Amino acid sequence: MKTILITGASSGIGAATARHFQAQGWNVVATMRRPDSAGDLAELDNVRVARMDVTDPGSIKDAVAAGIDRFGRIDVLLNNAGYGAYGALEAFSMERIRRQFDTNVIGLMEVTKAVLPHMRKNRAGTIINISSIGGQITFPLGTLYHGTKFAVEGLSEALHYELEPLGIRVRIVEPGMIKTNFGGRSFDFAMDEDLQDYAPMADAMGRLFGKLASNPSSPETVADVIWAAANETGDRLRFRAGADAVDLLDRRKAQDDATFIGGLKQLMQD
Ligand SMILES: NC(=O)c1ccc[n+]([C@@H]2O[C@H](COP(=O)([O-])OP(=O)(O)OC[C@H]3O[C@@H](n4cnc5c(N)ncnc54)[C@H](OP(=O)(O)O)[C@@H]3O)[C@@H](O)[C@H]2O)c1
């Protein structure tokens, strides 16, 4: 029986993936900042809920140890925990900037480092990193969020070289617009009344998001793609999730910078 450890399993993509793998007969180490937010996930067979804040090194160590202790092995690590900081760079304090990178990038690397000795000993394992369409393309006022997701893309691709010879796979999952708490409590929008110069761009961003997010996919759609990535036996690195992700990233590949970005700017108009 295989085991997956998931970060950010309290809601959205992480919670849907925990349920999907459990239903397929896997063991699930469902980690989250507040274990009391697990709901009935905690009652399911072969699910171990463990506290983990990806910015708290002690909690990472303890949760990984608890997972290995309970199930004997971790086959797949899903680095999913993350949130979106949007707004003008000038509107963010350095503390808020660091929090975004600490969560989406440094936390992901710290959890990966905590699991790697175990996978290296086993000469087996898969690390699945949740990136985004926003790891390949950018939206206005997304300096922070896209900075983190482009980092996730680059670090994952680079990491795969050193792990592949050791039997450990790296997969990148790129969801499009997904119906979760991401646009709600996981959206850290910075506003500064003194920075009115950026107000027109905030309006443009609102128009663009309104158009792109008009038909979001379900978190279960992403869970299906994560399932495929976990069971892939070849060396495929990237997996898109959602029809919008396939369409946008195909267009990104087919077009040069000016053409693609010009198309997005058109969508920002009324
Ligand atoms: N929704 C989208 O449109 C979309 C698109 C592309 C990529 N993504 C990516 O998908 C991932 C999951 O997001 P989601 O859409 O499922 O949103 P979500 O429902 O808001 O879930 C975000 C999860 O991350 C957790 N989290 C945040 N900071 C954390 C920390 N310091 N330590 C541990 N967990 C932390 C949250 O925990 P709490 O419950 O404790 O807050 C929550 O479980 C993120 O990496 C996001 O960037 C989302």
Side-chain angles (χ1 to χ4, degrees), residues 8 10-13 33-34 52-55 80-82 103 130-132 145 149 175-178 180-182 185-186:
S10 61
S11 81
I13 294 167
R33 290 193 281 199
R34 287 170 293 105
M52 187 200 287
D53 179 331
V54 300
T55 64
N80 162 75
T103 306
I130 299 296
S131 173
S132 168
Y145 183 67
K149 292 300 186 182
M177 301 289 181
I178 313 297
T180 66
N181 288 315
F182 187 77
R185 67 181 173 79
S186 293

Side-chain angles (χ1 to χ4, degrees), residues 3-44:
T3 302
I4 183 170
L5 185 146
I6 301 172
T7 69
S10 61
S11 81
I13 294 167
T17 306
R19 284 172 197 284
H20 187 97
F21 277 70
Q22 191 274 344
Q24 298 293 331
W26 281 46
N27 301 315
V28 177
V29 187
T31 77
M32 57 194 74
R33 290 193 281 199
R34 287 170 293 105
D36 59 358
S37 55
D40 65 356
L41 184 63
E43 315 299 324
L44 300 179

Side-chain angles (χ1 to χ4, degrees), residues 5 8 41 46 66 114 123 147 151 170 188 191 203 215 219 237 244 249:
L5 185 146
L41 184 63
N46 305 319
R123 285 293 190 268
V170 178
D188 177 25
M191 284 268 277
D203 293 341
N215 189 20
L237 187 59
D244 58 340
L249 296 183

